[in-house]
Amino acid sequence: TATASLNAQPEGANYDESKVPEYILPALLVGNDGSAVSGRQQWERRRKEIYDLFEREVYGAVPAWRGKITATEISHRQDALGGLALRREIRLRMQNGDKSRDVFLLLYLPRSRKAAPVFLGYNFSGNHTVTAEKDVHISPSWVANNKELGITDNRATEASRGSRASAWPLQDILSRGYGVATLYYGDVDPDFDDGFKNGVHALFDQPRDSASWGSIATWAWGLSRVMDYLEKDPAVNAKEVFVIGHSRLGKTALWAGASDRRFAMVISNESGCGGAAISRRKFGETVSRINTSFPHWFCDNFKKYNDKEETLPVDQHELIALIAPRPVYVASASEDLWSDPRGEFLGAKNAEPAYRLFGLRGLKTDEMPAPEHPVGDFIGYHLRTGKHDITRYDWTQYLNFADRHFPGSAAR
Ligand code: GTR
């Protein structure tokens, strides 16, 4: 679980920069047929090639959705967070035939505005963990057992209420004029390997193959379904929905941003392997380690690259490039070597050519910045001192980045 991995520096991995192999990254601006990509139109074609490779070889393809989703507001408060926010809980009932699955969205909106820009991101342990407010419903879904949170039979209880509040500085976010939409990722797909039977998988009946979606693609799909809802909610400015995630959910945010261009901005907090970090560096977590610990996160094709990162047809800078020209932010933590901070920086750096095609600047630096020195224009980056986590410092940078790119949204 997120909490258990906070201090993890697993053994048997390379944490020595001098042992990073030499590698050549797949060329971002050269088409599969060898032709150079210069204009935006050519990029659109190239972008599709890259997207298709990620879909087939890394995250897996989403099967056709034939169901329907019904949104029902299950709670509403005018005076949340000491009067700062409106708070609503919305049940999204996903249905296909006689099968259904409920996903619960927790929405905080600044009282000060009519249609709010919103940060949308999954939480790790249930909506009731992001706030100490007593009347937010406890997630009824399967959650990972966790002694610290008092979870022993895969059910959340009062003991975990507010336990992840530090990862969601709601006062800061709301007082700066932004809303928050969050949901528990296990509502969409519980995070364990069950052969893709549970979660929303039960609502799809297509047979699986080696390119079928893994859980990251499933979670990304869930974010798009939330976006479908947000687009219809007049209290939300659907043109300014920013997708955010930490760690495995940062990988998810990047893939969601690549898959669905309705997300106006994308934030990857310490997403590491299979996220922003260059796989070919084999620094910290590697493709074979991640496919072994989490065989359900990616499609089966990704396993072909275990210990063979150099044969991947893509690398993660190209995932970030798929987000261009929308602003994207990549962040690392100094003690989080498992996520490969330098690899994340280089992922961001090597995405720049795609932004350049739009006349936009990326990081505005060639060197990895010192801790607490955020950099970048359309590609933001910072290294924070400390461990694997998402903190108030990280959020402050994301809020600054949002203010800069969406000046109409900055609190007046
Ligand atoms: C670790 C995993 C990472 C990252 C992290 C997290 O166990 O190896 O890829 O996803 O969990 O999500 O906190």
Side-chain angles (χ1 to χ4, degrees):
T1 69
T3 329
S5 70
L6 283 182
N7 302 320
Q9 200 75 260
E11 282 172 28
N14 176 44
Y15 301 113
D16 181 349
E17 192 61 34
S18 74
K19 296 209 174 92
V20 170
E22 277 187 38
Y23 59 87
I24 299 169
L25 289 179
L28 185 56
L29 300 187
V30 178
N32 290 348
D33 64 358
S35 61
V37 173
S38 49
R40 289 188 208 175
Q41 262 176 5
Q42 287 170 359
W43 169 248
E44 201 47 47
R45 255 182 57 208
R46 173 65 183 142
R47 186 185 184 279
K48 169 107 176 60
E49 290 179 353
I50 297 172
Y51 184 85
D52 290 349
L53 286 169
F54 273 107
E55 185 177 69
R56 196 182 73 217
E57 303 294 323
V58 183
Y59 303 103
V62 178
W65 166 240
R66 305 214 168 80
K68 61 166 187 173
I69 300 178
T70 316
T72 308
E73 187 175 274
I74 58 167
S75 79
H76 189 127
R77 279 195 81 113
Q78 303 281 349
D79 59 348
L81 302 177
L84 184 61
L86 305 174
R87 194 193 70 211
R88 287 151 58 197
E89 290 173 289
I90 291 133
R91 184 188 66 208
L92 299 175
R93 178 157 289 173
M94 302 182 169
Q95 258 173 308
N96 191 10
D98 55 2
K99 295 183 191 131
S100 77
R101 176 123 190 129
D102 289 345
V103 167
F104 295 93
L105 187 64
L106 173 63
L107 201 53
Y108 282 98
L109 296 168
R111 284 211 342 201
S112 55
R113 53 188 359 147
K114 281 215 172 68
V118 162
F119 286 88
L120 165 63
Y122 281 117
N123 59 70
F124 276 91
S125 310
N127 293 345
H128 65 287
T129 66
V130 313
T131 172
E133 292 187 307
K134 295 264 177 274
D135 48 349
V136 171
H137 285 89
I138 293 183
S139 169
S141 295
W142 179 96
V143 286
N145 284 336
N146 184 320
K147 274 207 196 107
E148 254 175 76
L149 301 183
I151 301 165
T152 50
D153 58 353
N154 299 118
R155 292 284 163 239
T157 67
E158 279 298 335
S160 55
R161 184 177 298 284
S163 58
R164 290 303 290 147
S166 70
W168 298 89
L170 297 171
Q171 291 282 348
D172 291 3
I173 303 166
L174 273 289
S175 61
R176 288 182 63 165
Y178 295 92
V180 167
T182 185
L183 66 162
Y184 170 50
Y185 79 136
D187 278 359
V188 173
D189 192 15
D191 192 0
F192 63 92
D193 183 16
D194 78 323
F196 304 102
K197 301 278 186 294
N198 65 15
V200 297
H201 292 287
L203 309 179
F204 290 82
D205 28 39
Q206 284 89 343
R208 290 184 63 84
D209 63 27
S210 62
S212 294
W213 58 349
S215 291
I216 291 173
T218 312
W219 296 320
W221 176 86
L223 291 171
S224 288
R225 301 294 69 76
V226 173
M227 186 65 187
D228 297 342
Y229 166 76
L230 295 177
E231 279 189 313
K232 292 193 209 110
D233 189 328
V236 170
N237 178 354
K239 297 255 177 298
E240 297 186 1
V241 174
F242 314 138
V243 67
I244 182 166
H246 167 58
S247 206
R248 66 197 68 183
L249 301 177
K251 309 179 210 292
T252 300
L254 287 169
W255 184 236
S259 309
D260 189 336
R261 292 195 234 194
R262 292 174 298 173
F263 296 119
M265 185 169 95
V266 181
I267 299 161
S268 145
N269 194 83
E270 298 155 35
S271 58
C273 181
I278 298 292
S279 301
R280 279 168 172 74
R281 282 171 48 81
K282 308 185 192 193
F283 187 104
E285 189 169 32
T286 60
V287 169
S288 81
R289 291 289 291 264
I290 205 165
N291 278 331
T292 306
S293 317
F294 307 104
H296 57 296
W297 281 4
F298 300 88
C299 70
D300 282 344
N301 280 336
F302 196 46
K303 300 187 171 86
K304 295 189 294 194
Y305 307 100
N306 286 353
D307 304 311
K308 293 197 191 86
E309 283 87 345
E310 58 288 346
T311 65
L312 273 163
V314 287
D315 212 318
Q316 299 303 116
H317 62 302
E318 294 179 294
L319 174 63
I320 299 169
L322 291 175
I323 295 159
R326 292 164 292 156
V328 61
Y329 201 112
V330 172
S332 311
S334 64
E335 291 169 40
D336 181 24
L337 297 186
W338 183 240
S339 298
D340 187 12
R342 181 169 296 277
E344 293 176 322
F345 173 78
L346 291 171
K349 181 72 198 158
N350 286 287
E352 285 181 335
Y355 284 80
R356 235 174 272 136
L357 291 176
F358 294 88
L360 302 175
R361 299 197 65 189
L363 292 170
K364 298 207 294 185
T365 177
D366 294 333
E367 297 304 323
M368 192 168 167
E372 284 77 61
H373 279 84
V375 295
D377 191 359
F378 274 74
I379 306 178
Y381 179 84
H382 72 251
L383 175 66
R384 170 180 54 73
T385 300
K387 296 193 198 314
H388 186 62
D389 197 2
I390 179 166
T391 67
R392 189 176 189 190
Y393 175 87
D394 298 317
W395 273 98
T396 300
Q397 312 321 310
Y398 306 147
L399 291 165
N400 294 345
F401 193 66
D403 281 1
R404 191 144 53 74
H405 288 288
F406 298 90
S409 282
R412 281 158 286 225

